[in-house]
Coordinates of all heavy atoms in Angstrom, one line a residue:
L68 N -17.5 14.0 -14.8 CA -17.0 15.2 -14.2 C -16.0 16.0 -15.0 O -15.9 17.2 -14.8 CB -16.5 15.0 -12.7 CG -17.5 14.4 -11.8 CD1 -16.8 14.1 -10.5 CD2 -18.7 15.3 -11.5
V69 N -15.3 15.2 -15.8 CA -14.3 15.8 -16.7 C -14.6 15.5 -18.2 O -13.7 15.5 -19.1 CB -12.9 15.4 -16.4 CG1 -12.5 15.9 -15.0 CG2 -12.8 13.8 -16.4
A70 N -15.9 15.4 -18.5 CA -16.3 15.0 -19.8 C -15.8 16.1 -20.9 O -15.2 15.6 -22.0 CB -17.8 14.9 -20.0
P71 N -15.9 17.4 -20.7 CA -15.4 18.3 -21.8 C -14.0 18.1 -22.1 O -13.4 18.3 -23.2 CB -15.7 19.7 -21.3 CG -16.8 19.4 -20.2 CD -16.6 18.2 -19.6
Q72 N -13.1 18.0 -21.0 CA -11.7 17.7 -21.1 C -11.4 16.4 -21.8 O -10.5 16.3 -22.6 CB -11.0 17.8 -19.8 CG -11.1 19.1 -19.0 CD -12.2 19.2 -18.0 OE1 -13.3 18.7 -18.3 NE2 -12.0 19.7 -16.9
L73 N -12.1 15.3 -21.5 CA -11.9 14.1 -22.2 C -12.2 14.2 -23.7 O -11.4 13.7 -24.5 CB -12.8 13.0 -21.6 CG -12.4 12.5 -20.3 CD1 -13.5 11.7 -19.7 CD2 -11.2 11.5 -20.5
A74 N -13.3 15.0 -24.1 CA -13.7 15.2 -25.4 C -12.6 16.0 -26.2 O -12.1 15.6 -27.2 CB -15.0 15.8 -25.6
A75 N -12.1 17.1 -25.5 CA -11.0 17.8 -26.1 C -9.7 17.1 -26.4 O -9.0 17.3 -27.3 CB -10.7 19.1 -25.2
A76 N -9.4 16.1 -25.4 CA -8.3 15.2 -25.6 C -8.4 14.0 -26.5 O -7.6 13.3 -26.7 CB -7.8 14.6 -24.2
N77 N -9.8 14.0 -27.0 CA -10.1 12.8 -27.8 C -9.8 11.5 -27.2 O -9.2 10.6 -27.8 CB -9.4 13.0 -29.2 CG -10.0 12.0 -30.3 OD1 -11.3 11.7 -30.2 ND2 -9.2 11.5 -31.2
M78 N -10.1 11.4 -26.0 CA -9.8 10.1 -25.1 C -11.2 9.4 -24.9 O -12.1 10.0 -24.4 CB -9.2 10.6 -23.8 CG -8.6 9.4 -23.1 SD -7.7 9.9 -21.6 CE -6.3 10.7 -22.3
G79 N -11.2 8.2 -25.3 CA -12.4 7.3 -25.0 C -12.4 6.9 -23.5 O -11.4 6.8 -22.8
V80 N -13.5 6.4 -23.2 CA -13.8 5.9 -21.8 C -14.6 4.5 -21.9 O -15.6 4.5 -22.6 CB -14.7 6.8 -21.0 CG1 -14.9 6.2 -19.6 CG2 -14.0 8.2 -20.7
M81 N -14.0 3.5 -21.3 CA -14.7 2.2 -21.3 C -15.2 2.1 -19.8 O -14.4 1.8 -18.9 CB -13.7 1.1 -21.5 CG -13.3 0.9 -23.0 SD -12.4 -0.6 -23.2 CE -12.4 -0.7 -25.0
L82 N -16.5 2.3 -19.7 CA -17.1 2.2 -18.4 C -17.2 0.8 -17.9 O -17.8 0.0 -18.5 CB -18.4 2.9 -18.4 CG -18.5 4.4 -18.7 CD1 -19.9 4.9 -18.9 CD2 -17.8 5.2 -17.6
S83 N -16.6 0.6 -16.7 CA -16.8 -0.8 -16.1 C -17.8 -0.5 -15.0 O -18.0 0.5 -14.4 CB -15.5 -1.4 -15.6 OG -14.9 -0.5 -14.7
Q84 N -18.6 -1.5 -14.8 CA -19.7 -1.4 -13.9 C -20.7 -0.1 -14.2 O -20.7 0.8 -13.4 CB -19.3 -1.4 -12.4 CG -18.6 -2.6 -11.9 CD -18.1 -2.5 -10.5 OE1 -18.0 -1.5 -9.9 NE2 -18.0 -3.6 -10.0

Side-chain angles (χ1 to χ4, degrees):
L68 299 173
V69 293
Q72 295 94 317
L73 284 164
N77 195 29
M78 191 174 292
V80 177
M81 286 188 169
L82 296 174
S83 53
Q84 297 182 341

